[in-house]
Amino acid sequence: MADNILEVRHLKKYFKTSRGMLHAVDDINFTLERKKTLGLVGESGCGKSTTGRAILRLLEPTSGEIIFEGKDLNKLSKTQMRHMRKDMQIIFQDPFSSLDPKKTVSQIIAEPIKENKIITDKLLREERVLELMETVGLAERYINTYPHELDGGRRQRIGIARALAMEPKLIVCDEPVSALDVSIQAQILNLLKDLQEKLGLTYIFITHDLSVVNHFSDDIAVMYLGQIVEKAPAEELFDNPIHPYTQALLSAIPIPELGHQRQRVALRGEITSPIEPPEECRFAKRCLMCNPEICKASVPVLMEVSPSHFVACPLKQKEMGLLK
Amino acid sequence: MAEEHDILNIEDLKVRFETEDGTVYAVNGVNLRLGYHKTLGLVGETGAGKTTTALAMLRLVPDPPGVVECKRLEIDGQDVRGMSITKLEQVRGKDISMIFQDPMTALNPVFTVGQQIAESIEIHEHLGKAEALEKAGDMLEMVGIPRARANEYPHQFSGGMKQRVVIAIALACNPKLLIADEPTTALDVTIQAQVLELMNELKEKYDTSMIMITHDLGIVAEVCDEVAVMYAGRIVEQGSLEEVFGKTMHPYTEGLFNSLPNIKNRTAKLKPIHGLMPDPTKLPEGCPFAPRCNYATEDCRKAVPELHRASGTHMVACSAYERDKNFMIDRRKR
């Protein structure tokens, strides 16, 4: 049996707005094996970051179960959850706004260790900070600098060191390299990969960059307006995308190669509103293959079309004989 | 008269910013020529001087603190350096126009998009309000927005739509040279693909020359004929798309390619460029890339390499080629 560290069942996060309920995350299900990486991809507003935050209960989920190492996080009290968060950390997108500008590198990294009373002795704590700095490749001389004195790449390393301070098992990486230049981006991606191997970490890797997610993830879940529309092992997803949205998304990646001829899968129109969405396929309005009779009949569900490959497109499901 | 000049001809452009914390050397001797109907990709990372180079072409570098020096700066054969402000205002928006990176802030929130497109048409084509608005409607349709939406305000549009409006404004007076500064960076990939397709179409239709400023080599491959790679305020490699992508010469360009995840080989380990961009207030002596370069020798730290012609239109500024004509980087080995 697979050693699953996390299982998410029917996770929903709705926000109240003046025009009705905004369905940011709408019935998401997945399991994540220990020491693996799940990539969550999608365009802005698809609910990938909200999903990441709801899993850590940084945003209280509207409903659903989040089973982390056998415990349903949604049933834990605030104090219990605080303890639990030692095992689950997050790295944020923007290394410019996620670090306290009034604290030094040492104070930022030491904060979780101090707050959670992991190491109470000041000197020992500093030793641990130095050790963490070395792990993430930050030179010792930066220990007393402030975030504004450092570049984006080094700032992101601080964010990673802070997340590692608690010796977590799961890290949610929310667009960790999107704000960085390519040469620095590659440094950070390599670091995250090395740390995963060395420390046995499990990642949820949230990004809009498809070539990065392909490189980084074992499994990829493609989100569209709060729902997972396709999920498969990375290679399978890129070789054999089935959902029309995944196909469009993959075909839109500009490839830095000569003579690359892409067959772009065109989309039409603009995104459906996530506020009180209709009970139909949310991609229908942009999909050129849409057959209203089938696509607007009900909300599509994820079905396994081949081993480990799940698709929520009623048209394709029908084609494959999975849907009557 | 035959066109003897190019749409753009810059010689030895230097821009520095004199600030309290020291002088920032942003652009350090850029030479750039662009022929009519060509698209040049200006590539580089944050701080390479791409945007400053573009702003200097339009004489939009704020002074103070900016100091611009240039041996030649001609757009469509006109010397822009000594031009009066009145004349300059006729050139900007008419002969040369710019699309800025962030469509969210490039538009004025208190005017309708129709008014904003009509503004430059009124000024440059001396049309009345009604006629200009009429033409603004045409422009909207051309970028794929129904003309009925001309009366709406920017906040009523999505990011992709706003960028289309910005493109409509930039193209309203049919400029000869269009500078697009990271026009799709703020957009989602599917929307980016639509906007790039639109720009490609319009460029063809209006015979516009274009400078595409981007950090994304994928976008360059898709829309550009020529490429110039910038590092620390200098062009380090320049040539046709085929030359720069097919026969990469400069170690920095190689580093950029190696930093990108390869979509066809997902397990290949990334080879980042080690270290960081040099501080533009304290540029190192010699080649600015030498501290990060895998091939650097002592000689590299002595003198700044000049841009030399390697073959055809392919230029490279790397002293490894001056020492050994056959020095060649094979990035297919990765």
Side-chain angles (χ1 to χ4, degrees):
Chain A
M1 255 223 37
D3 175 15
N4 289 332
I5 186 166
L6 180 74
E7 193 175 342
V8 173
R9 290 187 203 142
H10 305 295
L11 181 68
K12 291 184 184 173
K13 175 66 193 174
Y14 293 176
F15 293 98
K16 218 168 155 178
T17 71
S18 56
R19 285 180 291 154
M21 280 303 211
L22 188 150
H23 296 214
V25 175
D26 212 355
D27 202 356
I28 282 202
N29 297 281
F30 66 82
T31 52
L32 179 53
E33 214 179 304
R34 194 182 299 276
K35 298 183 189 177
K36 297 275 182 186
T37 300
L38 172 72
L40 275 184
V41 286
E43 298 181 287
S44 41
C46 72
K48 51 194 192 302
S49 289
T50 308
T51 304
R53 277 154 217 232
I55 289 168
L56 299 183
R57 276 183 64 194
L58 293 174
L59 284 170
E60 287 299 331
T62 306
S63 66
E65 290 165 40
I66 306 155
I67 322 273
F68 179 72
E69 301 214 291
K71 280 188 207 116
D72 186 351
L73 300 183
N74 246 347
K75 297 210 173 81
L76 299 182
S77 70
K78 281 237 152 85
T79 336
Q80 286 170 318
M81 190 60 215
R82 228 182 119 100
H83 280 286
M84 210 61 196
R85 282 214 192 93
K86 283 177 208 161
D87 289 340
M88 19 189 4
Q89 291 286 317
I90 183 163
I91 299 167
F92 294 98
Q93 166 169 9
D94 186 354
F96 296 85
S97 62
S98 59
L99 303 174
D100 186 341
K102 287 192 270 185
K103 290 200 166 98
T104 62
V105 171
S106 154
Q107 285 167 330
I108 292 169
I109 301 175
E111 191 178 21
I113 311 173
K114 196 174 159 191
E115 284 296 307
N116 287 287
K117 303 193 176 66
I118 310 275
I119 303 172
T120 43
D121 182 84
K122 206 173 167 220
L123 281 173
L124 287 177
R125 209 159 49 219
E126 190 160 311
E127 228 165 78
R128 173 75 177 135
V129 167
L130 283 172
E131 191 185 294
L132 284 163
M133 286 176 71
E134 198 190 326
T135 312
V136 299
L138 264 178
E140 206 183 310
R141 65 175 185 278
Y142 296 117
I143 190 155
N144 289 320
T145 55
Y146 289 89
H148 78 266
E149 298 175 76
L150 303 175
D151 63 281
R154 290 213 176 90
R155 267 184 261 209
Q156 200 53 293
R157 286 178 199 265
I158 302 174
I160 296 170
R162 179 176 61 181
L164 292 177
M166 305 306 295
E167 299 182 26
K169 293 170 183 156
L170 172 74
I171 300 182
V172 173
C173 308
D174 189 0
E175 304 262 14
V177 294
S178 309
L180 307 174
D181 272 320
V182 277
S183 68
I184 309 299
Q185 173 178 316
Q187 292 175 4
I188 299 293
L189 287 174
N190 280 351
L191 170 67
L192 286 171
K193 269 216 148 153
D194 292 345
L195 290 173
Q196 178 167 42
E197 241 163 70
K198 210 161 83 188
L199 307 171
L201 297 169
T202 309
Y203 288 138
I204 294 179
F205 195 88
I206 300 169
T207 181
H208 69 279
D209 188 325
L210 290 143
S211 38
V212 167
V213 82
N214 174 44
H215 169 79
F216 205 82
S217 312
D218 298 295
D219 285 320
I220 297 176
V222 180
M223 287 187 70
Y224 189 80
L225 280 180
Q227 297 173 327
I228 293 178
V229 295
E230 184 159 7
K231 180 175 178 273
E235 208 162 353
E236 164 74 8
L237 190 96
F238 271 74
D239 288 350
N240 186 23
I242 292 175
H243 197 285
Y245 177 62
T246 314
Q247 292 175 351
L249 204 57
L250 295 184
S251 75
I253 311 172
I255 308 284
E257 262 170 38
L258 284 178
H260 179 85
Q261 288 292 325
R262 72 168 173 197
Q263 292 288 310
R264 206 163 77 72
V265 179
L267 293 181
R268 55 176 187 179
E270 293 262 325
I271 298 183
T272 314
S273 165
I275 296 172
E276 306 286 356
E279 297 275 308
E280 58 185 38
C281 170
R282 288 185 191 172
F283 184 59
K285 276 193 190 160
R286 288 181 84 191
C287 184
L288 289 173
M289 292 180 215
C290 173
N291 175 347
E293 249 173 65
I294 302 167
C295 302
K296 301 208 168 179
S298 61
V299 179
V301 283
L302 270 182
M303 286 186 184
E304 193 164 19
V305 296
S306 61
S308 305
H309 193 156
F310 299 83
V311 180
C313 170
L315 275 182
K316 301 281 179 164
Q317 290 166 350
K318 202 159 194 157
E319 245 171 58
M320 293 171 157
L322 293 162
L323 198 72
K324 293 275 146 55
Chain B
M1 200 179 87
E3 287 171 324
E4 283 171 6
H5 47 76
D6 291 315
I7 179 70
L8 178 75
N9 192 349
I10 302 178
E11 261 176 46
D12 203 20
L13 173 71
K14 288 179 183 160
V15 183
R16 59 176 195 273
F17 296 96
E18 289 175 347
T19 70
E20 279 174 23
D21 301 324
T23 304
V24 175
Y25 295 92
V27 180
N28 306 304
V30 161
N31 297 302
L32 209 52
R33 282 179 86 137
L34 183 64
Y36 286 88
H37 323 309
K38 291 279 186 206
T39 298
L40 170 82
L42 199 54
V43 190
E45 298 181 283
T46 314
K50 317 182 286 292
T51 301
T52 308
T53 303
L55 290 177
M57 290 174 204
L58 287 141
R59 273 186 50 199
L60 285 174
V61 174
D63 170 18
V67 181
V68 181
E69 283 166 13
C70 194
K71 290 208 180 104
R72 189 198 287 265
L73 176 52
E74 287 173 7
I75 290 165
D76 196 23
Q78 309 169 78
D79 187 356
V80 179
R81 283 178 309 164
M83 214 175 250
S84 71
I85 293 297
T86 336
K87 182 81 184 51
L88 196 59
E89 276 169 2
Q90 286 168 14
V91 172
R92 287 184 195 147
K94 176 97 184 86
D95 293 335
I96 176 170
S97 64
M98 184 150 175
I99 298 173
F100 294 94
Q101 172 169 0
D102 188 356
M104 315 300 157
T105 56
L107 295 172
N108 189 328
V110 299
F111 289 99
T112 66
V113 301
Q115 286 170 327
Q116 296 187 53
I117 302 170
E119 188 190 1
S120 66
I121 302 175
E122 255 183 87
I123 295 171
H124 293 297
E125 304 199 347
H126 312 292
L127 293 177
K129 267 217 159 62
E131 281 170 290
L133 276 172
E134 185 61 29
K135 197 175 169 209
D138 297 344
M139 291 307 294
L140 272 183
E141 277 185 343
M142 197 188 63
V143 296
I145 299 175
R147 66 190 310 137
R149 298 197 66 180
N151 296 323
E152 292 182 18
Y153 291 87
H155 76 270
Q156 292 167 290
F157 290 80
S158 66
M161 298 279 252
K162 273 187 227 172
Q163 196 58 299
R164 284 162 192 260
V165 173
V166 174
I167 293 172
I169 294 175
L171 291 176
C173 297
N174 194 4
K176 292 172 188 150
L177 176 62
L178 177 65
I179 303 174
D181 187 3
E182 305 261 11
T184 57
T185 305
L187 307 176
D188 279 321
V189 267
T190 56
I191 310 293
Q192 164 174 293
Q194 287 171 8
V195 170
L196 289 178
E197 230 156 69
L198 172 74
M199 292 182 74
N200 260 344
E201 269 171 42
L202 295 178
K203 192 177 79 184
E204 292 288 313
K205 191 169 160 193
Y206 287 100
D207 256 345
T208 311
S209 312
M210 186 159 92
I211 296 179
M212 173 71 100
I213 299 177
T214 180
H215 64 278
D216 188 329
L217 293 163
I219 292 178
V220 174
E222 205 149 293
V223 299
C224 300
D225 314 301
E226 293 170 25
V227 190
V229 182
M230 282 190 83
Y231 187 80
R234 286 191 177 86
I235 292 174
V236 294
E237 181 164 4
Q238 190 177 358
S240 68
L241 183 70
E242 288 72 24
E243 287 166 337
V244 176
F245 276 53
K247 287 176 275 178
T248 306
M249 292 184 84
H250 199 281
Y252 175 63
T253 318
E254 179 204 33
L256 281 182
F257 277 112
N258 285 345
S259 298
L260 295 173
N262 186 340
I263 210 144
K264 290 184 185 128
N265 180 5
R266 55 182 302 269
T267 48
K269 194 156 165 74
L270 303 179
K271 287 190 228 144
I273 305 170
H274 60 83
L276 296 171
M277 272 274 201
D279 180 347
T281 59
K282 299 185 272 272
L283 288 175
E285 263 193 50
C287 172
F289 187 62
R292 304 178 74 185
C293 182
N294 290 331
Y295 311 97
T297 62
E298 269 316 299
D299 290 349
C300 294
R301 299 194 171 87
K302 282 177 192 150
V304 179
E306 296 285 319
L307 208 52
H308 282 293
R309 186 176 305 278
S311 63
T313 53
H314 202 168
M315 315 268 278
V316 65
C318 173
S319 43
Y321 293 92
E322 289 160 33
R323 292 192 296 269
D324 174 9
K325 283 267 172 295
N326 298 316
F327 179 76
M328 200 68 201
I329 287 166
D330 188 1
R331 71 179 177 89
R332 273 151 301 189
K333 268 188 282 187
R334 70 172 173 141

